[in-house]
Amino acid sequence: MANLRISRRNFIGSIAAGAAVLPLSNYHWAYPSKTAALSEKKVDWGYPEGAVRLNANENPYGPSPNALAAMEKALSQGHRYTRATQLTKELASYHGVSTDMVLTGCGSTEFLRIAPWAFLRDGGELVTTLQTFKTLPREAKKIGASVNEIPLDKNFYFDLQSIKKALTPKTKMVYLVNPNNPTGTRHDFEAIQNFCASLPKTIIVFIDEAYSHFLEDKKGRDGITLIKQGYNVIVSRTFSKVYGLAGMRLGYAIADPSIIKELRAFGFGNMGINQAVFAGGLASLEDEKHIQKYKELVKEGQEYFYNQFDSLGLKYIPSTTPFLMVKLNMASKVAQKKLVSKNVFVRKGEDWQMPSYLRITMGFPEENKTCISTLKKVLNL
Ligand SMILES: Cc1ncc(COP(=O)(O)O)c(C=O)c1O
């Protein structure tokens, strides 16, 4: 009690001392003006002003208007932790699976990073392709798993025969990206199905379907079908691409409940999802028009680039995805550096052991045009 009295006296004393230095009224104006200054601060998005961003396979349209409205509304729930129960239910019904076969996460990256922890942490072996998305193989290497990266065939498709030959009794996982990033090639469903059928039950096939909307005739010819057919498959999907929510972070995995249980043990669970994207994701699922609009933009972009490359005499890999690869007459890392210095951002193929290729994301028509005109200058064409 005595202590309490002393501290209260000190506290009141210090307020009085403060008030003597600065009139209380000053605090009233100081607080709001400080927050206003912060909220008006220009945000640095990490790129120079006017940058043409064709390097990260983002959807230039952004979120659908429905998703934007839903996210804006959800911001008022920003003080609450998210429960993804409804989203899990909707995704399960959307894909015709049970809710215990769905796990939502902070982008599909979450699953690419936790799958090695769940299934390869005690010395397992991963077999994958050399020219593919690197997050999962990189994580596997980090935790000490051995990773065997099999080159794509000469047409940039999976070499499933060589992958099969590379399997050993220690192999626990095969990672395939379909359609593949960076090549944009889409592997035949039946070939993947036969491959899965030929594997022992001890091997999980992780199929990364970040670009699932670009799987032709996707109903019944995707990784989720293989799961329904009883194959030992994990599929990861994302809201980052066709739904335009890359910066909001939402993805999910679908697999047998026993596999989902293992993954869940390493994931963020509800803590990896924010209220806004939870609502935005739900709204996006329903906006077929927005998806269609983006697909048309991608098709238009592909045709534009193909025509340009044909007339410039540059070879390219025909793509099924919102990005494509073009072969240059110089090292792509040199070309990329020059393009970046002119504010055009693309990816160098060196990142996937394809040193003479550039990977370009389909942007708006004017961005695609800027990319081509700048590339011509860089290549002296
Ligand atoms: C094949 C592939 N998988 C996964 C990802 C990561 O996506 P997310 O934003 O869902 O983490 C990407 C992103 O570019 C990708 O290309």
Side-chain angles (χ1 to χ4, degrees), residues 137-170:
R138 197 167 44 227
E139 194 67 18
K141 285 176 195 169
K142 261 198 258 170
I143 65 166
S146 83
V147 178
N148 196 350
E149 295 161 296
I150 309 298
L152 295 174
D153 71 15
K154 64 178 185 352
N155 296 316
F156 305 100
Y157 287 87
F158 307 142
D159 180 352
L160 291 175
Q161 260 186 351
S162 299
I163 290 178
K164 185 92 195 291
K165 275 193 206 142
L167 304 177
T168 74
K170 283 190 183 161

Side-chain angles (χ1 to χ4, degrees), residues 223-278:
I224 296 171
T225 304
L226 297 174
I227 296 170
K228 290 179 188 168
Q229 290 173 344
Y231 295 113
N232 216 12
V233 168
I234 300 175
V235 167
S236 63
R237 295 272 178 107
T238 183
F239 281 82
S240 297
K241 307 300 174 185
V242 88
Y243 298 117
L245 289 167
M248 300 304 297
R249 314 305 302 136
L250 183 62
Y252 57 100
I254 297 198
D256 183 80
S258 60
I259 293 180
I260 291 293
K261 200 172 158 202
E262 297 280 327
L263 283 174
R264 193 189 294 281
F266 291 90
F268 278 116
N270 286 327
M271 293 306 195
I273 301 173
N274 63 75
Q275 297 288 27
V277 82
F278 164 58

Side-chain angles (χ1 to χ4, degrees), residues 85-160:
T85 324
Q86 185 192 359
L87 182 62
T88 306
K89 264 193 207 156
E90 299 275 350
L91 287 168
S93 112
Y94 183 80
H95 289 296
V97 296
S98 54
T99 51
D100 55 359
M101 294 174 76
V102 180
L103 187 59
T104 53
C106 181
S108 56
T109 295
E110 180 171 328
F111 306 107
L112 303 181
R113 296 199 60 173
I114 65 174
W117 286 93
F119 301 106
L120 301 167
R121 67 184 181 280
D122 50 6
E125 209 171 83
L126 171 76
V127 180
T128 184
T129 57
L130 180 65
Q131 304 95 333
T132 201
F133 199 65
K134 296 290 184 190
T135 303
L136 192 149
R138 197 167 44 227
E139 194 67 18
K141 285 176 195 169
K142 261 198 258 170
I143 65 166
S146 83
V147 178
N148 196 350
E149 295 161 296
I150 309 298
L152 295 174
D153 71 15
K154 64 178 185 352
N155 296 316
F156 305 100
Y157 287 87
F158 307 142
D159 180 352
L160 291 175

Side-chain angles (χ1 to χ4, degrees), residues 75-88:
L75 289 178
S76 67
Q77 292 301 304
H79 59 303
R80 300 287 186 199
Y81 290 112
T82 313
R83 284 197 172 167
T85 324
Q86 185 192 359
L87 182 62
T88 306

Side-chain angles (χ1 to χ4, degrees), residues 326-337:
V326 58
K327 195 168 197 282
L328 306 182
N329 49 13
M330 69 194 293
S332 70
K333 68 175 176 191
V334 177
Q336 186 221 23
K337 217 170 169 185

